[in-house]
Amino acid sequence: MQNDAQRSAQTDWDERIALRSDEEREFAFPDLDPPKEVSAVGGVGQVTIDWSPVDGAAGYLILRGAGEHGPLEPVDHHSRDILSIPAPPYVDTTCTPGTPYRYAVVSVPEVTATNGRASAMAGAVPLVADGTVPAVEVTVDVVAEGTELAKPWVPMVGSERLSQLLCTDRTGGHEIGVELEDALRRMHDEIGVRTVRAHAIFHDDTHVITESGYDFSVVDTIYDKLLSIGLRPVVELGFMPRELASDPSKKVFEYGAIISPPASYQAWHDLVRALVQHLVDRYGLDEVLTWDFEVWNEANLEVFWSGTKAEWMQLYDVSAAAVKSVDPRLAVGGPSSAAAGWVDDLLVHAAANGSPVDFVSTHTYGSPPLDVRASLERHGFGDARVLWTEWGVTPTHFNPINDSVFSGVFLLRGMKSAAGRIDALSYWVASDHFEELGRPPRLLHGGFGLQTVGGLAKPRFHAMTLLSRLGPVELPVTLDGDGADSLVEAWASRDRDRIAVLLWNLTLDQTKADGAPELTRNIRLQLPGVDPAWEATATTLAIGSGDIAAAAEGLPDWPTDEELADLAVRSKLVSTPLELHDGEVELSLPMPSAVLVELRPRRG
């Protein structure tokens, strides 16, 4: 359980995090057309809303009203973050079966501009379950040439501040630095992740400023350790060193990161330039040219930046100039914002002032990432990369959903949504050795980590494992039935001697995180042309299977080493044989759940 201090900190955090900037905008967003061809189809326990995409839209907001009259309100899937989604379709499971609803869709040019014109309405009635499990037919073209399978989870993962790699303190009896290093190594070795993004390289514990100048020896030790794992850093330029802060009393997090603007922007420029030059001197220009330099973290929230938007824009200009003064080819970007904010603001500012933007970075939780490529094109930065440097199932610390199967299946949905349109989707974070609001109070505490203290895989890490087992060639898939392509999705791939099809059943509605029997679907997986002599296996992630929260019931807050070893066995992913008949496989998918079906030549 949370202690009183953590509970109070969480309440304060929630209140402060809700305070979005309301400064006057210096530009107007385009008046986008509403979507056309909007449809709503009722199924058992759900309504699927579909529409034709609109050029220039970063996302869409779904509106709903009950009956023939009454106001239309945004459908709330209870993510505690933005409700806009990037693309159709959308499955609404917050509805009441048997009730007629009206739906409309609003095109969103940018996350804060949600008052656009609504589409024409479409009506539907979610069906009441009658005891029959609806079916979804999934057909994979296994003989197609296919295309390269995009892997947005590979470029990046988030982490606690990397100075914790050097920490010898213990949490629950486990040494923090050793286990954080092990967790990051596992992300590299097992999942294939290439870079790590973390806060606070300029925090007091790295001691970068001394009486005689700069000292990057602690930074060197951190980055040496990271590179030895095979990972590269995304260098988030922050927070403010005490020696440079205009107000050192302005802080965030349990560890006291300073969020003040600098007293001297020239001094900040000189520090950033000195760091970048030092990194080039130490690791070589060719190496550092593969790194990204990100300016600050979530300055659009007052909890992370005590200055104004204009002051942050000045910080961006100064930081970008400092990075580029070492070598103009080095990559710099931002705004590293919460809830996809300030993207257009930065691009308008950069276009007017000539500041470089090599990549746009932003964050969101509880929904697939929006399509900010529309903003890049709109403001003349079409060549910039898109990096979602934080993303996850919830922005709330100590939320049990972080340890749930729902969160693992959510990860699959978001990664598929991002594939081919986003350069990196970085899950926040790799390990529960994470202490923004204090160190973990027990093993399963709703921490952000993909892995627990003690290094056990949560369902979200299992989801990463399933993704890593997809082959390099993506195969065409068609789905048909109740909830096809909205509730139930599929991602199919081919390797040289293997077909891998990942299927899942999920709603974004977090009130259904513990399951909803009416949303179970029977799947008929058809693979015409597959070799009939091949064998099939299923690796399942579901409530009770690969489910550390269920497996840990009855254990103490901090299990012994023996109990952890047993828990690791009882919560691991398990593969079982499947019957393959005439190129078809049948299985059941509860909500939430996922299954990886693999077909390969029969052994022996």
Side-chain angles (χ1 to χ4, degrees):
M1 300 293 290
Q2 292 173 252
N3 60 37
D4 290 342
Q6 286 168 325
R7 191 175 297 108
S8 174
Q10 181 64 60
T11 300
D12 180 59
W13 178 268
D14 289 343
E15 290 173 353
R16 295 166 74 193
I17 214 82
L19 294 173
R20 307 292 188 212
S21 171
D22 59 357
E23 297 174 57
E24 186 81 18
R25 290 193 176 276
E26 300 174 357
F27 60 94
F29 289 110
D31 183 18
L32 295 180
D33 290 333
K36 298 178 181 178
E37 301 175 13
V38 176
S39 65
V41 178
V44 173
Q46 60 91 14
V47 173
T48 293
I49 303 96
D50 205 351
W51 59 92
S52 53
V54 174
D55 287 342
Y60 304 89
L61 193 64
I62 315 302
L63 307 180
R64 186 185 73 192
E68 296 182 4
H69 306 287
L72 294 174
E73 307 238 346
V75 176
D76 185 356
H77 46 253
H78 306 282
S79 68
R80 300 191 69 176
D81 207 13
I82 63 175
L83 296 179
S84 300
I85 61 166
Y90 179 83
V91 61
D92 177 20
T93 60
T94 68
C95 48
T96 301
T99 300
Y101 290 98
R102 296 167 296 127
Y103 291 91
V105 183
V106 174
S107 304
V108 176
E110 191 261 3
V111 66
T112 61
T114 57
N115 58 348
R117 291 175 290 149
S119 70
M121 289 184 289
V125 180
L127 305 179
V128 178
D130 63 0
T132 302
V133 177
V136 174
E137 189 171 280
V138 180
T139 304
V140 179
D141 187 350
V142 300
V143 299
E145 182 176 347
T147 57
E148 181 180 358
L149 188 132
K151 299 181 177 182
W153 63 91
V154 166
M156 191 185 306
V157 73
S159 175
E160 174 57 272
R161 67 195 194 281
L162 295 176
S163 61
Q164 292 304 88
L165 287 168
L166 313 181
C167 181
T168 58
D169 293 353
R170 291 179 176 270
T171 294
H174 302 267
E175 187 170 329
I176 292 170
V178 170
E179 286 205 346
L180 180 57
E181 182 177 347
D182 288 345
L184 293 175
R185 180 175 287 105
R186 194 175 181 189
M187 297 304 303
H188 174 270
D189 293 351
E190 297 184 25
I191 309 301
V193 172
R194 297 195 296 262
T195 69
V196 176
R197 185 259 188 181
H199 300 325
I201 203 62
F202 289 151
H203 183 50
D204 289 345
D205 62 6
T206 61
H207 311 291
V208 295
I209 297 180
T210 69
E211 291 183 1
S212 58
Y214 305 119
D215 181 355
F216 297 120
S217 59
V218 176
V219 174
D220 293 344
T221 303
I222 291 168
Y223 285 169
D224 287 354
K225 190 176 286 285
L226 196 66
L227 290 166
S228 73
I229 296 171
L231 292 164
R232 293 181 166 116
V234 175
V235 184
E236 180 195 293
L237 298 171
F239 290 99
M240 191 60 59
R242 179 176 307 277
E243 296 84 354
L244 300 190
S246 59
D247 186 352
S249 70
K250 300 293 187 182
K251 297 179 180 179
V252 70
F253 298 147
E254 187 77 8
Y255 56 82
I258 297 172
I259 60 170
S260 164
S264 163
Y265 281 87
Q266 183 61 52
W268 172 263
H269 171 281
D270 293 346
L271 171 63
V272 172
R273 189 188 190 288
L275 172 67
V276 176
Q277 184 64 62
H278 174 81
L279 296 175
V280 168
D281 293 342
R282 183 174 181 82
Y283 300 111
L285 180 59
D286 288 344
E287 170 63 30
V288 181
L289 283 171
T290 67
W291 300 11
D292 287 316
F293 293 86
E294 184 182 38
V295 180
W296 211 254
N297 175 72
E298 298 190 353
N300 62 323
L301 301 185
E302 68 171 22
V303 70
F304 288 118
W305 178 248
S306 65
T308 65
K309 183 195 295 185
E311 287 174 313
W312 182 84
M313 293 295 173
Q314 183 178 0
L315 189 85
Y316 182 88
D317 293 342
V318 168
S319 302
V323 171
K324 296 291 188 179
S325 70
V326 175
D327 192 289
R329 295 171 294 172
L330 291 167
V332 66
S336 185
S337 53
W342 282 17
V343 170
D344 284 72
D345 303 72
L346 172 61
L347 297 176
V348 167
H349 172 86
N353 290 274
S355 289
V357 181
D358 298 305
F359 62 87
V360 159
S361 63
T362 188
H363 312 151
T364 196
Y365 290 85
S367 298
L370 297 183
D371 192 1
V372 298
R373 178 65 60 187
S375 294
L376 295 173
E377 299 288 351
R378 188 157 56 238
H379 299 297
F381 290 89
D383 292 334
R385 289 174 293 132
V386 177
L387 310 179
W388 289 78
T389 52
E390 283 186 33
W391 176 72
V393 69
T394 178
T396 306
H397 294 67
F398 309 112
N399 188 333
I401 204 167
N402 282 313
D403 301 329
S404 70
V405 167
F406 181 97
S407 68
V409 187
F410 170 87
L411 186 150
L412 299 178
R413 168 150 287 176
M415 290 296 178
K416 184 173 189 296
S417 170
R421 65 181 180 87
I422 288 172
D423 295 284
L425 183 56
S426 175
Y427 204 92
W428 190 255
V429 289
S431 170
D432 269 350
H433 282 294
F434 184 79
E435 49 194 72
E436 290 183 349
L437 297 188
R439 290 178 177 169
R442 58 178 176 147
L443 179 71
L444 294 182
H445 60 281
F448 285 147
L450 296 165
Q451 302 165 68
T452 69
V453 171
L456 275 63
K458 295 188 189 182
R460 283 170 293 139
F461 187 88
H462 286 325
M464 287 280 203
T465 299
L466 296 178
L467 288 169
S468 72
R469 286 162 62 175
L470 290 173
V473 177
E474 181 173 0
L475 297 174
V477 182
T478 57
L479 294 89
D480 186 61
D482 185 340
D485 271 328
S486 58
L487 190 65
V488 175
E489 292 185 297
W491 208 351
S493 69
R494 182 176 60 226
D495 215 328
R496 284 176 296 180
D497 59 351
R498 186 176 65 100
I499 302 293
V501 184
L502 187 52
L503 304 116
W504 59 86
N505 182 342
L506 187 80
T507 168
L508 295 180
D509 174 11
Q510 295 193 8
T511 67
K512 305 291 194 303
D514 293 331
E518 71 276 10
L519 299 180
T520 296
R521 296 296 184 264
N522 286 334
I523 307 299
R524 182 186 178 198
L525 175 59
Q526 300 184 88
L527 304 119
V530 73
D531 190 328
W534 281 20
E535 62 182 3
T537 59
T539 306
T540 301
L541 175 63
I543 293 175
S545 178
D547 180 359
I548 195 170
E553 288 185 8
L555 290 178
D557 284 357
W558 291 112
T560 65
D561 290 345
E562 292 77 13
E563 288 170 329
L564 279 178
D566 178 64
L567 179 57
V569 172
R570 291 187 292 110
S571 61
K572 70 179 182 179
L573 288 174
V574 176
S575 298
T576 57
L578 272 178
E579 293 292 331
L580 178 64
H581 294 295
D582 298 326
E584 292 185 5
V585 168
E586 293 186 355
L587 45 88
S588 177
L589 272 186
M591 197 301 299
S593 70
V595 60
L596 179 70
V597 176
E598 294 176 280
L599 300 102
R600 50 171 59 89
R602 192 175 301 275
R603 288 166 289 187

